[in-house]
Amino acid sequence: MTRTDPGTATGVAGAPGAARAVRALWVFWALVVLHLVAIGAGIDPLRLATKPLLVPALAACAAARGGPRLLLGALACGWAGDVLLEIGGTVAFLLGMGCFAAGHVCYLRLFAARGALRGARARCAVYAVVWAVLVVLLWPGLDAGLRVPVAVYSLLLTAMAAGAFGLGRTGAAGGLLFLLSDGMIAAGLADWPRPPAHDLWIMLTYAVAQFCLVRAVQTPAEPGVPGNAERDAAAYGGNAPADRPRTPPLTTE
């Protein structure tokens, strides 16, 4: 039986869906490895061919497990951002950044539905300090036309990372890795010295970040833990989750 959230169309996948999810997840990680090899070896055709396939493979996994619309929307925005960033040029970069910003809004709305933003004042204050320090350090090195867009985007990114913390360790890791990945891109825009294998680390942290966020969203809350019932009730449109079917964790096993 499948229960659906009226607000986000959250379904619970059965055995066939779980099998499709496992296959899609194997494809995702295989593409990640190929993409990283292409970056490290300087094989541009392979790099360009694999990058647009990474997020769709992860989205196929999420969809097979009955992923909510907001999650699939966030991944779709990430895919559009990936494609636009490969085009090059200021306009494409700004459009790509806008797509990623829309994805962070989707994530924040989804986190709010899961109750992950409740009682978040302390961690939001910490992340706000991180954002302010980042902007102050990057501001002088950024082109004038990029300063405000980068500041606004990084605010949404940091808010998403703070919200993901409320989903547990996996969500927190996903938010932090996303922040690290985009932070390395921003450092490059500001002409900071680049570490060895700069592009490889950006894509590795980005791919793992998206996986962690998807897993955190689709991992059922454990019963008996304070606050989990309320989070599930919010995710299911206010209904009690007592009879909620359990789905296997998002793994390749």
Side-chain angles (χ1 to χ4, degrees):
M1 180 177 181
T2 299
R3 295 185 59 179
T4 303
D5 171 3
T8 55
T10 304
V12 179
R20 289 194 301 271
V22 169
R23 289 193 295 269
L25 192 57
W26 275 111
V27 171
F28 168 72
W29 286 119
L31 287 168
V32 170
V33 171
L34 282 174
H35 186 68
L36 296 178
V37 168
I39 293 174
I43 308 173
D44 273 352
L46 181 59
R47 179 184 65 82
L48 292 172
T50 51
K51 185 175 181 181
L53 301 177
L54 299 176
V55 172
L58 186 58
C61 176
R65 300 184 77 250
R69 289 193 298 266
L70 284 173
L71 176 59
L72 300 180
L75 293 172
C77 289
W79 171 81
D82 285 341
V83 172
L84 285 166
L85 292 185
E86 284 300 320
I87 293 175
T90 301
V91 173
F93 178 82
L94 290 174
L95 289 174
M97 189 163 57
C99 289
F100 279 111
H104 296 323
V105 171
C106 289
Y107 274 128
L108 281 168
R109 290 183 59 193
L110 185 55
F111 298 162
R114 288 288 306 271
L117 305 185
R118 297 175 188 170
R121 292 183 180 179
R123 70 171 180 266
C124 283
V126 172
Y127 278 85
V129 172
V130 171
W131 170 77
V133 170
L134 182 65
V135 171
V136 168
L137 292 176
L138 292 172
W139 193 271
L142 294 172
D143 291 341
L146 291 177
R147 287 173 176 170
V148 172
V150 168
V152 173
Y153 171 77
S154 60
L155 179 60
L156 280 172
L157 168 63
T158 309
M160 184 279 293
F165 198 94
L167 294 177
R169 287 174 294 182
T170 303
L176 287 171
L177 286 171
F178 216 133
L179 191 59
L180 176 60
S181 178
D182 282 3
M184 286 189 283
I185 294 176
L189 293 174
D191 289 328
W192 287 14
R194 295 188 176 189
H198 177 261
D199 292 338
L200 188 148
W201 286 112
I202 287 174
M203 288 307 301
L204 175 61
T205 51
Y206 169 67
V208 177
Q210 290 281 31
F211 167 76
C212 287
L213 291 174
V214 170
R215 179 169 184 176
V217 167
Q218 295 201 285
T219 298
E222 294 299 326
V225 178
N228 280 352
E230 290 77 6
R231 284 198 295 273
D232 276 355
Y236 279 90
N239 297 320
D243 59 341
R244 178 184 178 185
R246 309 259 316 163
T247 54
L250 188 61
T251 66
T252 54
E253 295 179 359

